[in-house]
Amino acid sequence: MKCIGVLLLVCGTLVGPQLAHAETPPLHLASLEWLPYVGRSLPDGGMSGAVAKTVAARFGHDIKIDYFPWKRAMEAGGSDPDFAGYFPAYHTDERARQCHFSASMGNSTVGLATLTTAPLRWRVLDDLAGNKLGVVLGYSNGAAFDQMIKSGKLVVDASESDTINLRKLLAGRVRAVVIDKAVLRYLLASDPALSKERAKLVFDERPLAELTLHVCFQRTPLGLKLKQSFDAALLQTDIAKIENAYFDKLDRTLGAVRR
């Protein structure tokens, strides 16, 4: 009996931690390749990935990220029971009806990339009418901008990625490209082809929108519980500190000059 007791104790010691770990599955999120915010080739899955990883660890979860084109990421993260949600998503009223949005886990400055030799002169969105603008399929770019697209007041050319859009801009196929400021900075520093052309591209000084980034948890009881735990952990997290350290590291790696 003593032997059996010792054996059970040893087995419990060996198996216990594994079972405990198994009882807390990773926070499985769908995402996209949107460097430097998220990307499979980046440390911690990107800057937003690093924030999500830090926050999730505060309530006992690891992070697992699968990458898709954005529309597919929203579909999988929003309804596939294997996922908890998708990120990093801009807040929109339509999405808010379909999922439980976390509190803000970062910010995005959205604006226009243009050719340095052909800047756009505009003051309000109506001034952009008549110009073909490159956008990424499935992206929201602020409520006002999105509504003008739906109403047909703005002409857009949708592609699968920011990189494709920038190539279209350089080729003269679009007048300007709607893009996040940090994404443009990263692509011009990391993409060999675009880096050679960086002097030809500029980020317009007038932003289209300042948007917050969120995890869009599935609209289920579990999704609501995860959202609440995530939000509570966010309150204990210095997001700016994580982002600044992450970009400093990337800049050193890429040899880019910090703005």
Side-chain angles (χ1 to χ4, degrees):
M1 292 297 292
K2 288 182 179 180
C3 291
I4 293 174
V6 171
L7 181 60
L8 290 174
L9 178 61
V10 171
C11 289
T13 302
L14 292 175
V15 176
Q18 296 176 3
L19 288 176
H21 182 73
E23 291 171 359
T24 307
L27 192 64
H28 193 185
L29 300 173
S31 191
L32 74 163
E33 292 285 343
W34 191 43
L35 286 65
Y37 292 101
V38 276
R40 59 169 56 87
S41 63
L42 293 177
D44 294 322
M47 186 165 63
S48 292
V51 173
K53 181 179 180 180
T54 300
V55 173
R58 292 188 184 279
F59 63 102
H61 286 268
D62 291 329
I63 284 282
K64 179 183 178 183
I65 305 173
D66 283 347
Y67 301 89
F68 308 92
W70 185 231
K71 286 194 71 175
R72 175 62 183 138
M74 290 191 292
E75 292 167 358
S79 60
D80 188 329
D82 189 42
F83 290 87
Y86 62 90
F87 88 116
Y90 296 146
H91 186 285
T92 69
D93 291 341
E94 181 179 356
R95 290 174 187 168
R97 291 190 289 269
Q98 299 169 353
C99 68
H100 294 297
F101 268 109
S102 74
S104 172
M105 58 177 296
N107 296 282
S108 166
T109 300
V110 178
L112 297 172
T114 64
L115 297 176
T116 55
T117 56
L120 270 175
R121 308 297 182 189
W122 68 284
R123 186 175 58 83
V124 295
L125 289 178
D126 284 335
D127 296 337
L128 298 174
N131 295 290
K132 184 184 290 187
L133 307 175
V135 299
V136 176
L137 189 65
Y139 281 19
S140 169
N141 294 297
F145 188 90
D146 293 347
Q147 182 56 43
M148 289 191 69
I149 293 176
K150 290 180 181 179
S151 66
K153 293 181 179 179
L154 290 178
V155 179
V156 297
D157 183 349
S159 300
E160 289 288 341
S161 72
D162 292 297
T163 301
I164 293 174
N165 282 337
L166 291 173
R167 289 172 181 163
K168 287 181 178 180
L169 176 61
L170 289 165
R173 294 169 56 190
V174 294
R175 182 68 175 81
V177 163
V178 180
I179 192 169
D180 171 89
K181 187 175 184 179
V183 172
L184 177 64
R185 173 187 172 190
Y186 180 84
L187 290 175
L188 293 181
S190 62
D191 186 290
L194 292 175
S195 182
K196 294 177 182 178
E197 308 283 359
R198 64 184 306 160
K200 297 180 181 179
L201 300 171
V202 65
F203 189 81
D204 192 275
E205 63 182 17
R206 187 185 299 277
L208 289 173
E210 296 284 351
L211 303 171
T212 51
L213 301 173
H214 307 262
V215 177
C216 197
F217 288 102
Q218 291 186 3
R219 188 164 278 279
T220 63
L222 175 59
L224 178 58
K225 183 178 179 181
L226 289 172
K227 170 253 191 317
Q228 293 168 339
S229 297
F230 195 88
D231 285 355
L234 266 173
L235 294 175
Q236 308 171 45
T237 305
D238 189 336
I239 297 173
K241 183 178 180 179
I242 296 172
E243 291 181 337
N244 289 336
Y246 198 91
F247 239 135
D248 283 342
K249 183 177 179 180
L250 279 183
D251 280 347
R252 290 194 299 270
T253 301
L254 297 170
V257 177
R258 190 168 179 80
R259 63 174 181 269

